[in-house]
Amino acid sequence: MEVVLKDLTKIFPSRNKKSSEEVVAVNKVNITIPDGKLIGLLGPSGCGKSTTLYMISGLQKPSGGQIFFGEDDVTELSPEHRGVGLVFQNYALYPHLTVKQNILFPLQNLKGEDKLSKEEMLARAYEVAKLVQIDDLMNRKPSELSGGQQQRVAIARALVKMPRVLLLDEPLSNLDARLRLQTREEIRRIQKATKITTVFVTHDQEEALSISDYIVVMKLGVVQQIGKPQAVYDSPENLFVAKFLGTPPINVLNGRVQNETLYIGFDAVLKTPGVKDQDVYVGVRPEGFVLAEDGALTCKLNAVEVMGRDVSVVCTNEASVNPVIRAIINAENTIDEEKETVRFNLKANKTFIFNKETEERIFF
Ligand code: ADP
Ligand code: MG
């Protein structure tokens, strides 16, 4: 089922009666989610991810715009008629019911044509329980399960009605690091097996990059960029997206273009053919530095941190916006830690420049 959001907007009235300031939580969002794909909706807390998801589910009514499931305009349709499965961060299981009863619950309210016999319901419940690998826990209560197992029950419960669209709102946030990794792989496996069009909301860029067919980066209710994870990482369209993706984060420096050459301080670091003279922000990915005796950019060396396969060179430069610059270098390079300075060349495909005012990318 393809899902299309067209100019989708949500405005909340002011919470404070005295002030007239309303919150534009979601601002003219246009996204096409291809059939059977998983898209990661990514952005910092408060950027409108959950609100977007709740509008897709029907739990919240848009202030403007439309939502299509395939050919159907579902904008005015109630949540029960949309055929969506929803999973929240805090599993929201019924504590007094067993796992089996929790999974059966959505089926017991089906009416009319959709009504199932007891046998059919049980068969479905066991089918999804098997899919999420909790079929041996069916008689336990939620309190007798780990966080990861509880979240699997919540996913099974969302899947049991065979939804057209699966919506996951930060489903891994309550899990510890190891379970988070395991459950995220599990969600990917289930999504691929069921081919249900899925929207996965997270503020964790690494999570979104690893799990998604496409990512949508949002800021203050506005979509910043949509694309395949690697494509967005490799070619961010503005400084916000560049800074939001990647660990360690991108290094940002003040720079200047003069005579089609990029300068950081007095160091001429790259050729920028076709770019007009101007001040810019320079973003350099940690893997964009190449150690070189006669390198173009000179930095003051702070420390060399061993990370196994790679080493992290921590250094400073007066033009740096952040307190330190972090360069990731292959561990086969030898760096004399006693040295005061270290010199790099910059990889052109890992170095981005941005307009100082708009923070939009300047391509060269
Ligand atoms: P996210 O899920 O990305 O953290 P939300 O969609 O929950 O963000 O919220 C987006 C913005 O809308 C925030 O500024 C939030 O405070 C505001 N907001 C969310 N729900 C309501 C509400 N029911 N009433 C008023 N403002 C809200
Ligand atoms: Mg949220």
Side-chain angles (χ1 to χ4, degrees):
M1 176 71 51
E2 181 187 77
V3 175
V4 177
L5 312 182
K6 210 172 152 214
D7 291 332
L8 196 63
T9 299
K10 180 71 183 181
I11 301 169
F12 289 110
S14 157
R15 284 189 178 130
N16 178 349
K17 278 195 184 127
K18 281 185 200 138
S19 104
S20 59
E21 235 170 80
E22 43 193 26
V23 178
V24 185
V26 177
N27 196 348
K28 298 215 171 96
V29 161
N30 287 290
I31 307 174
T32 298
I33 308 162
D35 179 36
K37 298 293 183 196
L38 187 155
I39 72 142
L41 198 51
L42 175 66
S45 176
C47 75
K49 305 181 295 294
S50 295
T51 307
T52 303
L53 206 70
Y54 298 158
M55 288 194 283
I56 300 172
S57 76
L59 291 176
Q60 273 179 357
K61 205 176 136 44
S63 315
Q66 288 168 292
I67 302 164
F68 295 90
F69 285 5
E71 301 286 295
D72 305 337
D73 182 341
V74 301
T75 317
E76 299 295 324
L77 207 60
S78 66
E80 357 14 310
H81 294 113
R82 289 195 189 190
V84 296
L86 200 52
V87 177
F88 300 98
Q89 173 179 343
N90 56 352
Y91 334 122
L93 301 175
Y94 300 106
H96 58 288
L97 299 183
T98 63
V99 168
K100 182 160 58 184
Q101 289 164 332
N102 264 287
I103 298 174
L104 284 171
F105 194 83
L107 297 180
Q108 285 158 344
N109 297 316
L110 294 176
K111 304 222 167 53
E113 268 181 35
D114 297 334
K115 206 170 157 62
L116 297 174
S117 73
K118 225 177 178 149
E119 291 71 41
E120 285 169 325
M121 283 196 251
L122 269 177
R124 279 255 206 112
Y126 272 94
E127 194 185 321
V128 290
K130 235 193 178 99
L131 183 68
V132 303
Q133 296 172 348
I134 48 160
D135 46 320
D136 52 342
L137 306 172
M138 292 295 256
N139 295 315
R140 293 210 199 161
K141 295 272 176 66
S143 62
E144 297 163 337
L145 302 176
S146 72
Q149 290 167 335
Q150 290 187 48
Q151 194 55 297
R152 284 165 195 238
V153 178
I155 293 167
R157 192 179 54 181
L159 289 175
V160 78
K161 274 168 79 177
M162 300 182 180
R164 301 196 283 176
V165 180
L166 182 63
L167 305 171
L168 306 156
D169 192 0
E170 312 238 10
L172 309 178
S173 299
N174 281 0
L175 306 178
D176 66 45
R178 213 170 55 94
L179 261 180
R180 200 150 59 215
L181 200 71
Q182 195 188 334
T183 312
R184 123 183 151 195
E185 285 163 5
E186 196 69 350
I187 289 175
R188 188 56 171 152
R189 180 185 64 76
I190 294 162
Q191 194 274 331
K192 281 201 159 143
T194 57
K195 297 196 178 71
I196 298 178
T197 308
T198 299
V199 183
F200 183 100
V201 162
T202 179
H203 64 272
D204 181 335
Q205 54 92 24
E206 201 188 325
E207 205 167 280
L209 289 176
S210 67
I211 202 174
S212 312
D213 292 308
Y214 297 93
I215 59 168
V216 176
V217 184
M218 284 180 75
K219 175 193 173 188
L220 295 170
V222 179
V223 171
Q224 304 292 304
Q225 193 166 348
I226 302 179
K228 292 193 170 160
Q230 192 68 50
V232 178
Y233 178 83
D234 287 342
S235 190
E237 282 168 15
N238 63 41
L239 185 61
F240 176 84
V241 174
K243 279 160 64 173
F244 203 74
L245 300 185
T247 40
I250 197 163
N251 299 285
V252 182
L253 302 102
N254 292 301
R256 182 178 88 259
V257 173
Q258 208 171 334
N259 298 329
E260 304 191 322
T261 304
L262 174 63
Y263 289 87
I264 294 174
F266 292 109
D267 297 338
V269 293
L270 277 181
K271 284 277 163 215
T272 52
V275 182
K276 279 189 292 188
D277 290 1
Q278 59 190 301
D279 286 339
V280 293
Y281 285 117
V282 186
V284 188
R285 293 273 182 221
E287 66 275 24
F289 296 89
V290 183
L291 270 183
E293 289 284 328
D294 58 350
L297 180 69
T298 304
C299 297
K300 199 164 157 285
L301 182 61
N302 276 20
V304 178
E305 295 171 355
V306 177
M307 306 195 303
R309 187 165 44 91
D310 301 319
V311 291
S312 167
V313 181
V314 185
C315 50
T316 54
N317 183 295
E318 274 184 17
S320 178
V321 171
N322 317 102
V324 295
I325 293 172
R326 227 169 245 285
I328 307 290
I329 309 283
N330 191 302
E332 282 160 17
N333 289 286
T334 48
I335 303 154
D336 179 5
E337 279 194 70
E338 300 302 310
K339 275 197 177 162
E340 296 244 324
T341 59
V342 60
R343 290 175 71 167
F344 302 106
N345 285 319
L346 302 184
K347 295 182 191 167
N349 65 339
K350 294 286 179 184
T351 304
F352 314 122
I353 57 175
F354 303 95
N355 181 290
K356 264 262 152 98
E357 273 82 51
T358 64
E359 302 190 353
E360 292 295 320
R361 173 99 170 268
I362 302 164
F363 290 86
F364 62 89

